[in-house]
């Protein structure tokens, strides 16, 4: 069983930056694909970005390309999301997810961390 704990959320002004972390425990996730999703109030949860087990492949939704960067440190069993040039529309609860079968299929989810961007 894998437990995922997100941290690093908070309140930031538009144009600011935040770095989210997702720490995994229970077992190593070095062979898992990892992803970040978000859910804004009244909206469906949506894909934000994902990274392959090796870190060699990354994927982003169009609206965050050039502003967000996903990375991972398998030695620390941790995945990061660097968010720059934040916009009010980035406001959401951000969730980390881990997938044993690779990108696109996630088996474990964290509880989420709130990101609020003020205008």
């Amino acid at each position: 069983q894998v437990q995922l704990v997100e941290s690093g959320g908070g309140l930031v002004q538009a144009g600011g930056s935040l770095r989210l972390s997702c720490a995994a425990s229970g077992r190593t996730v070095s062979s898992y694909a990892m992803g970040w999703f978000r859910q804004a109030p009244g909206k469906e949860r949506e894909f934000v970005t994902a990274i392959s087990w090796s870190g060699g492949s990354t994927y982003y939704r169009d609206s965050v390309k050039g502003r967000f960067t996903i990375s991972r440190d398998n030695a620390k069993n941790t995945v990061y999301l660097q968010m720059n040039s934040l916009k009010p529309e980035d406001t959401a609860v951000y969730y980390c997810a881990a997938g044993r079968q690779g990108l696109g299929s996630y088996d474990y989810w964290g509880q989420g961390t709130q990101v609020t961007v003020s205008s």
Side-chain angles (χ1 to χ4, degrees):
Q1 194 75 357
V2 173
Q3 293 81 42
L4 302 174
V5 178
E6 304 94 336
S7 62
L11 173 64
V12 64
Q13 289 189 330
S17 298
L18 283 175
R19 188 194 196 203
L20 305 184
S21 298
C22 172
S25 62
R27 63 181 302 168
T28 179
V29 293
S30 60
S31 64
Y32 289 35
M34 301 294 294
W36 286 96
F37 292 74
R38 67 186 181 187
Q39 187 168 20
K43 295 188 176 181
E44 302 260 327
R45 184 156 58 186
E46 64 182 20
F47 169 80
V48 178
T49 179
I51 188 168
S52 62
W53 69 272
S54 66
S57 297
T58 56
Y59 303 87
Y60 298 90
R61 71 178 300 107
D62 287 346
S63 61
V64 307
K65 285 179 181 177
R67 300 189 298 122
F68 290 13
T69 303
I70 189 172
S71 62
R72 67 189 299 162
D73 185 338
N74 285 338
K76 294 183 177 180
N77 230 20
T78 301
V79 176
Y80 305 97
L81 180 61
Q82 178 67 44
M83 306 186 294
N84 299 328
S85 303
L86 282 160
K87 304 176 180 180
E89 50 264 42
D90 295 317
T91 295
V93 177
Y94 283 71
Y95 298 90
C96 173
R100 292 172 295 178
Q101 302 301 320
L103 294 163
S105 176
Y106 298 95
D107 306 286
Y108 304 102
W109 294 81
Q111 293 299 305
T113 185
Q114 176 70 48
V115 171
T116 303
V117 185
S118 63
S119 57

